[in-house]
Amino acid sequence: MKSLELYIHIPFCVRKCAYCDFLSVPAGRNQQKTYFHALEQEIQHFPSNLSGHIDTGRLIFDKEDYIVTSVFFGGGTPSIVPGEWIIRLLDLMRMQFHFDRNAEISIECNPGTADEEKLRTYRSAGVNRLSLGLQSADNRELELLGRIHTWEDFLRTFETAEEAGFSNINVDLMSALPGQTAASWETTLRKVLELRPQHISAYSLIIEEGTPFFEVYGEDARVREAGGIPQLLPSEDEEREMYRMTEVLLSGAGMHRYEISNYALPGYECRHNTGYWNGTEYAGFGLGASSLLEMSERKKGDENKKVRVRMKNTDEMQTYLMHAGDSDGCVYKDCDMLSYQDQMEEFMFLGLRMMRGISETDFQKRFGRTVEEVYSGVIRRQMEQGLLQRKGERILLTDKGTDLSNMVMADFLF
C-alpha cells in the first residue's frame, strides 16, 4: 500500500501573535464546536467530496490503496480546544482510513494551553509526538512577539509532557528577532538543550506583509534585504552568526541537521515533514488545508490516467462551514493538476531542503529522464559557484548553498 499523510488544521488561538500570518483567529467555544462538526463532515465524506471537476475530466481517488503513516494536528493552536475533541477526530480518521500501527501522530501545543489531563488524554489515545511553540527563552522577547506564555510556562508544559509519557518532543525556536543579540539567542539555545528535547525546529523571523510586525519593521526588513544596516532588526551578519551558532551548539549536543531548519537526535526526525519534502501524498482537512494526491483521471473513450493533483480548501470560514461535507467540491478554493514540469521542480526544490539532497536515481525512475537532461545548466552553474555538490549519486547543498538556499532553489523554477 502507498503511504498517505493526514493534516488537520485547527485555526483557533488565544490571541494572534504580532508576527503571525498563518490562517488563525481567536474564537469562542460555540464557533469552535461548529468548526469541529464541519471537520468531522469533511473527514467522513472523504474522498467523495473530491468529486469536483477539472476541465479535462473527472478525478477519482481510491483511499483503499493507501495506509496512513503520519497525522499532524496544526494551527493555530490545536491544544486550545478540549482534548476529547482531538481524540474524536483521531478515532474518526482511524475508522475512515487504514492506519499503520506505528504511525507518527503529532500535535502542536502552545505552553499554557495543555495541562496534565489534556496531555495524558492525547497520549492515551495514541498521540506520540508533541511540537511545543516556545520561540524564545527570553521573556522580554516573548512579550514583544505577542506570545501568551513565559519561559516558566514553557518549562512547566515541557515537564508535564514528559510526565504524561511523551518521549518525542519538538521545540520551535525563532531567531533574528527585533533587538535580539547573538548572546541572547545563545542563551535560548543552551536553556533548551539542557532539557534534551528530541527535536528542535529553528527558524529565522520573516517579516510578513499584513502583520503588525510589518507595520513596525517592514522598512527595516527591506533595508536589510537590500544590504543596508537595519535600525531595529539584527543585521545580516548578526543573523548569519545566529544561524551558524545554531548548528554548532545543536550538533555539539548530538542533534543532527537533517533539513535546513530542523535538527533531531538520531531516529527522531519528523516523519510527517520529511514526507512533504520527499513528495509523499497527503490529504489536508480544515480551513485552508492543502492536499497533494495521485488520482485516476477518467475520460470518455480513454483508459484511466494517473495524475497528481494539488487542492486547497477555502480560507473563508463561512464557506467552509457550509460546504465541508458537500460532494460537489465546493469546499475547494483551488484544484490543479501538476504537469511533469511542476513535479520535477518540486522534486528538486523540496528535496534540496534535506541535507542529504536529492537522488539522481530516484529522479530518473520517477520522470524517465536524468537530472542532467533537465537541469544540467543550473547544476553546472551552481557547482561552479560552490552552492551545490555531488556525493555519489546524490546532489546536495554545500555550506555556502545552505546559507543561500532560497536563491539556489529559485533557480530550479522555470
Side-chain angles (χ1 to χ4, degrees):
M1 300 177 77
K2 296 195 292 183
S3 292
L4 179 68
E5 302 190 325
L6 305 180
Y7 173 78
I8 302 89
H9 190 66
I10 314 298
F12 306 119
C13 52
V14 175
R15 181 179 67 207
K16 191 89 168 176
C17 295
Y19 61 88
C20 179
D21 74 333
F22 292 164
L23 188 54
S24 60
V25 291
R29 191 66 87 208
N30 286 338
Q31 184 177 0
Q32 292 172 6
K33 284 182 181 179
T34 303
Y35 179 80
F36 267 72
H37 176 71
L39 261 179
E40 291 172 2
Q41 291 296 305
E42 186 184 7
I43 294 168
Q44 282 177 334
H45 288 86
F46 182 89
S48 64
N49 51 5
L50 298 178
S51 60
H53 291 265
I54 287 184
D55 291 343
T56 51
R58 188 175 177 84
L59 301 174
I60 304 298
F61 178 80
D62 189 354
K63 69 180 181 183
E64 297 304 312
D65 292 340
Y66 292 83
I67 187 165
V68 172
T69 54
S70 72
V71 179
F72 197 101
F73 291 91
T77 306
S79 55
I80 197 176
V81 301
E84 293 76 15
W85 295 11
I86 298 295
I87 304 316
R88 190 166 68 238
L89 286 182
L90 192 51
D91 288 342
L92 177 59
M93 286 185 283
R94 287 193 174 107
M95 292 172 57
Q96 297 292 319
F97 298 92
H98 300 297
F99 263 62
D100 186 310
R101 61 181 296 182
N102 295 313
E104 176 189 86
I105 303 175
S106 306
I107 187 166
E108 292 182 339
C109 297
N110 272 352
T113 64
D115 57 18
E116 180 179 1
E117 181 181 357
K118 189 176 291 185
L119 291 169
R120 290 192 183 279
T121 298
Y122 294 157
R123 190 69 196 93
S124 64
V127 177
N128 50 31
R129 184 177 184 274
L130 288 184
S131 184
L132 298 179
L134 170 60
Q135 313 312 343
S136 171
D138 185 311
N139 286 336
R140 183 194 62 81
E141 292 174 356
L142 290 173
E143 184 177 2
L144 179 70
L145 290 171
R147 303 295 287 176
I148 64 168
H149 65 269
T150 63
W151 163 250
E152 292 74 23
D153 294 330
F154 167 81
L155 272 181
R156 283 191 290 272
T157 302
F158 188 93
E159 291 165 358
T160 302
E162 289 191 317
E163 291 168 1
F166 283 97
S167 58
N168 188 356
I169 302 176
N170 168 63
V171 179
D172 278 341
L173 298 177
M174 189 178 292
S175 62
L177 307 180
Q180 189 179 52
T181 64
S184 67
W185 175 240
E186 180 178 0
T187 298
T188 286
L189 290 174
R190 291 191 182 280
K191 281 186 172 183
V192 172
L193 285 173
E194 286 178 5
L195 302 175
R196 293 199 57 77
Q198 289 74 32
H199 191 286
I200 291 177
S201 297
Y203 299 95
S204 292
L205 172 68
I206 299 175
I207 306 296
E208 301 283 7
E209 289 191 43
T211 65
F213 261 27
F214 187 80
E215 298 298 317
V216 179
Y217 305 111
E219 182 58 33
D220 227 30
R222 285 191 288 269
V223 168
R224 182 172 63 186
E225 191 173 331
I229 304 298
Q231 299 300 307
L232 303 172
L233 296 172
S235 69
E236 186 175 340
D237 287 344
E238 289 171 320
E239 184 176 5
R240 192 155 293 173
E241 182 182 356
M242 295 179 202
Y243 186 77
R244 291 182 179 135
M245 180 189 297
T246 305
E247 184 170 21
V248 170
L249 292 181
L250 269 56
S251 62
M255 307 186 85
H256 75 103
R257 185 185 196 180
Y258 69 98
E259 189 269 345
I260 288 174
S261 301
N262 286 275
Y263 298 78
L265 295 176
Y268 288 95
E269 300 82 1
C270 178
R271 284 187 270 152
H272 188 85
N273 287 342
T274 300
Y276 286 154
W277 301 317
N278 287 334
T280 301
E281 293 172 67
Y282 54 90
F285 301 101
L287 192 70
S290 294
S291 301
L292 177 66
L293 301 169
E294 187 171 271
M295 299 189 190
S296 295
E297 183 186 12
R298 293 185 180 175
K299 301 169 70 175
K300 287 185 178 180
D302 290 337
E303 293 184 6
N304 289 356
K305 182 178 76 171
K306 293 291 186 182
V307 294
R308 279 210 157 199
V309 181
R310 177 179 291 108
M311 292 160 293
K312 185 180 185 299
N313 283 2
T314 178
D315 51 13
E316 295 291 334
M317 179 66 83
Q318 289 307 311
T319 301
Y320 178 77
L321 296 178
M322 290 175 61
H323 297 291
D326 290 0
S327 60
D328 59 6
C330 286
V331 75
Y332 297 110
K333 176 182 178 182
D334 297 307
C335 188
D336 300 300
M337 285 191 292
L338 299 183
S339 68
Y340 250 42
Q341 185 63 52
D342 293 332
Q343 293 178 54
M344 287 189 290
E345 289 176 359
E346 288 201 355
F347 185 97
M348 296 302 292
F349 71 72
L350 290 177
L352 285 172
R353 291 192 63 88
M354 304 288 287
M355 304 313 292
R356 65 177 186 168
I358 63 102
S359 164
E360 296 186 76
T361 302
D362 289 349
F363 186 97
Q364 186 166 3
K365 283 181 180 177
R366 181 166 168 185
F367 301 112
R369 302 173 68 185
T370 67
V371 175
E372 284 294 330
E373 286 180 85
V374 184
Y375 292 112
S376 60
V378 176
I379 292 171
R380 188 182 313 112
R381 180 172 65 254
Q382 294 198 349
M383 284 186 170
E384 289 172 353
Q385 295 173 355
L387 302 173
L388 287 180
Q389 59 184 316
R390 266 197 174 91
K391 289 188 177 180
E393 60 89 40
R394 304 195 75 88
I395 298 173
L396 58 152
L397 296 170
T398 62
D399 289 343
K400 179 182 177 182
T402 303
D403 285 347
L404 302 172
S405 58
N406 288 340
M407 183 186 77
V408 174
M409 292 165 194
D411 224 4
F412 286 92
L413 305 179
F414 287 122

